[in-house]
Amino acid sequence: QVQLVESGGGLVQPGGSRRLSCTAPGFRLANNVIGWFRQAPGKEREGVSVINASGGSRRYADSVRGRFIVSRDNAKNTIYLQMNSLKPEDTAVYYCATPADTWTWPLVPSEFGAWGQGTQVTVSA
């Protein structure tokens, strides 16, 4: 079972930017679809973005489209989520995950079988 690791979270002011990273020590992610999810306190986990193995196909939730950019560097075994123009409502724990088998859009958390521990992003003045 692949273990994903997220990093890059922290406190950022509204309007600021943050880049999250997702990697998997000891496991090559180059053939994996990677989804980014987030979960705010008291809310369900929601899909934010997804990128296919080559990086040529990407999708975004309406709430982040135009502000977030997902990318990957397979040579570095890392997937990124660049978050710009951050808003207080973007505050959440952010997770990366890979599908257990088939997956659908909008992303469904139960279709993803391997998860990271999450990284907290707090957008506040």
Side-chain angles (χ1 to χ4, degrees):
Q1 178 79 339
V2 60
Q3 181 63 51
L4 301 173
V5 178
E6 304 93 341
S7 62
L11 176 64
V12 61
Q13 292 188 342
S17 297
R18 200 81 180 181
R19 189 178 77 164
L20 306 182
S21 299
C22 170
T23 189
F27 185 90
R28 192 164 180 264
L29 293 174
N31 296 322
N32 290 72
V33 169
I34 297 295
W36 282 98
F37 295 80
R38 66 185 181 186
Q39 188 165 19
K43 295 188 176 181
E44 294 186 352
R45 192 168 297 188
E46 65 169 341
V48 172
S49 182
V50 65
I51 186 168
N52 72 343
S54 69
S57 178
R58 317 171 195 196
R59 302 193 74 165
Y60 300 93
D62 290 345
S63 57
V64 307
R65 187 177 295 112
R67 300 188 297 121
F68 289 14
I69 300 171
V70 63
S71 63
R72 66 192 303 156
D73 185 338
N74 286 338
K76 294 183 178 180
N77 204 40
T78 303
I79 295 85
Y80 303 100
L81 186 67
Q82 177 67 43
M83 306 184 297
N84 302 317
S85 301
L86 283 162
K87 306 174 181 180
E89 51 263 43
D90 295 316
T91 296
V93 178
Y94 283 74
Y95 302 88
C96 61
T98 189
D101 190 2
T102 58
W103 61 278
T104 54
W105 181 265
L107 297 181
V108 178
S110 61
E111 294 177 344
F112 284 70
W115 292 81
Q117 81 290 347
T119 186
Q120 175 72 47
V121 174
T122 302
V123 184
S124 176

